[in-house]
Amino acid sequence: MKELLFGTAGTPLSAKKRGSVEGIQRIRELGLGCMELEFVRGVRMKEGMAERVRATAEKEGVALSVHAPYYINLNSAEDEKIEASIKRIYQSARIGALCGASSIVFHPAYYHKQDSEMVMERVNGLLGKLASRLEDEGIDAVLRPETTGKPTQFGSLEETLMMAETIEGVMPCIDFSHLHARSSGEFNTLEEFRDVLGKVEEYLGLEGLEDMHCHVSGIAYGEKGEKNHLVLRESDYNYTDLMAVFREFGVKGLVICESPNLEEDALLLQDTFRNADF
C-alpha cells in the first residue's frame, strides 16, 4: 500500500441504496478511500455482481476488503462445522477476489477450554492448507485472521501475529477496539499503541506495518470482553493517540470503522490521522 486509507464496514449509512455498488460510490463522494464488503451473514453475492463491484471500485479508486461470515470456528469439536467454516472462508476469498478485494477477514476459532498451543497447531494446519489451495487456484486474496474481542476466543495479538509469521498467504487484521475490550480496558495509551505496532514489526518486519488491515471503533466491554460497538466520542477509546502512533510508525493499508455511525467516525479517524502531529 502507498498510504493509509479509511473507510466503513459495509455500505455507508448515507448511501441512497444499500447495495455494494452504491456503497462504493458513496465512499468516494465522502472523500474516504476504502470499504469492507460484509459477507457476515453468508456469501450471497453472485459472480456477475462481483464483477460490477470490481469495475465500480476500480473506476472510483476505492480499495476493498471482505469480512467473511461470523459462523467460523476452526477449532470446533465437530468435523462438519470445521468443513463448513473452511468453505465459508474459501467462498469469501473466491467472490472477494472477483470483487478485487485484497484481504479476507474472519474470526478464527474458540479455545473450548484448550490451551493456546493446541488451538494454534490445529488452526495453522487448516489455514496453511487453505492458503495453498487459494494459491493453486489462482485466487488472489490474503487471509486475515482478526484479533478477537473476548478472552474465550482464540485471537490474541500474539496469536494473530504468530499465524501471520508462520503461514504464507496469511496476514493479520488488527482490531484495535477488540484488543481494548479483550483486556478489559488496556491497549489504550500512547505507549501501548507503540507496543502493538512494535510487535507487528518484530513478527512481520516493515511489510507488516506497510500492509496493515485494521478495525477501529468505539466499543463497550466488561469482564467477559466485548459487548457492542459504540460511537467513538461516546466511548473511552483513545483514537487520537492511536492515529498519532499510526503516523509515527508510517502505517499504510486500510482502516475500517465499525462504529454505529460508520462514515461519521471513519471521517473523524481520517481527519484525526491527517492532522496528527508526529
Side-chain angles (χ1 to χ4, degrees):
M1 296 293 296
K2 296 181 180 180
E3 58 184 316
L4 191 62
L5 303 176
F6 293 81
T8 59
T11 298
L13 299 176
S14 57
K16 294 179 181 178
K17 294 183 179 180
R18 301 308 306 155
S20 297
V21 167
E22 292 80 9
I24 293 165
Q25 292 169 337
R26 183 59 181 150
I27 286 285
R28 177 48 58 209
E29 290 171 356
L30 289 164
L32 294 166
C34 60
M35 190 178 89
E36 192 163 84
L37 301 168
E38 300 296 290
F39 294 168
V40 295
R41 305 296 178 191
V43 185
R44 301 189 177 101
M45 186 180 290
K46 304 300 183 185
E47 292 183 5
M49 176 55 70
E51 291 169 0
R52 281 190 61 202
V53 167
R54 183 184 192 122
T56 304
E58 289 177 350
K59 177 184 177 183
E60 302 293 349
V62 172
L64 298 178
S65 62
V66 161
H67 198 304
Y70 290 137
Y71 314 111
I72 288 170
N73 181 8
L74 297 176
N75 191 42
S76 174
E78 302 172 51
D79 289 344
E80 59 268 26
K81 288 186 178 179
I82 289 181
E83 291 174 7
S85 295
I86 293 170
K87 183 177 181 181
R88 290 180 179 118
I89 301 171
Y90 172 81
Q91 289 176 329
S92 299
R94 189 180 73 82
I95 295 299
L98 290 176
C99 292
S102 57
S103 297
I104 312 301
V105 176
F106 57 95
H107 305 157
Y110 289 82
Y111 291 111
H112 297 305
K113 298 183 179 179
Q114 297 174 357
D115 63 35
S116 176
E117 291 76 15
M118 290 181 64
V119 183
M120 178 72 75
E121 183 177 359
R122 191 177 198 192
V123 171
N124 277 1
L126 293 167
L127 287 183
K129 290 178 181 177
L130 180 54
S132 295
R133 178 185 177 188
L134 295 177
E135 183 179 10
D136 290 344
E137 295 184 15
I139 296 174
D140 185 15
V142 176
L143 300 178
R144 288 191 183 261
E146 180 179 347
T147 55
T148 50
K150 296 181 179 181
T152 56
Q153 295 173 299
F154 176 76
S156 68
L157 176 64
E158 288 78 8
E159 288 164 346
T160 305
L161 292 175
M162 286 174 67
M163 283 185 279
E165 179 187 41
T166 303
I167 309 167
E168 186 72 27
V170 171
M171 289 289 281
C173 171
I174 308 292
D175 189 315
F176 284 86
S177 304
H178 278 173
L179 294 180
H180 182 48
R182 182 187 181 96
S183 62
S184 298
E186 298 178 8
F187 294 97
N188 203 35
T189 67
L190 197 70
E191 287 306 317
E192 287 172 321
F193 295 144
R194 285 172 174 155
D195 286 345
V196 171
L197 295 185
K199 285 183 179 177
V200 171
E201 186 172 8
E202 175 187 341
Y203 278 89
L204 304 175
L206 283 177
E207 179 188 358
L209 295 175
E210 294 179 352
D211 186 17
M212 291 274 286
H213 191 287
C214 309
H215 288 174
V216 181
S217 68
I219 198 161
Y221 56 89
E223 292 182 359
K224 296 182 179 179
E226 174 188 15
K227 290 183 177 180
N228 56 272
H229 294 296
L230 298 172
V231 172
L232 278 167
R233 285 176 168 149
E234 296 174 3
S235 74
D236 69 352
Y237 196 69
N238 184 12
Y239 64 91
T240 54
D241 278 352
L242 177 61
M243 294 301 104
V245 173
F246 278 0
R247 284 189 66 89
E248 180 183 355
F249 276 73
V251 170
K252 300 173 184 176
L254 308 186
V255 177
I256 299 297
C257 182
E258 297 179 310
S259 295
N261 60 351
L262 284 180
E263 61 263 47
E264 185 176 336
D265 270 1
L267 287 165
L268 174 61
L269 290 170
Q270 179 173 269
D271 291 344
T272 304
F273 173 77
R274 289 177 176 176
N275 293 320
D277 187 18
F278 260 101

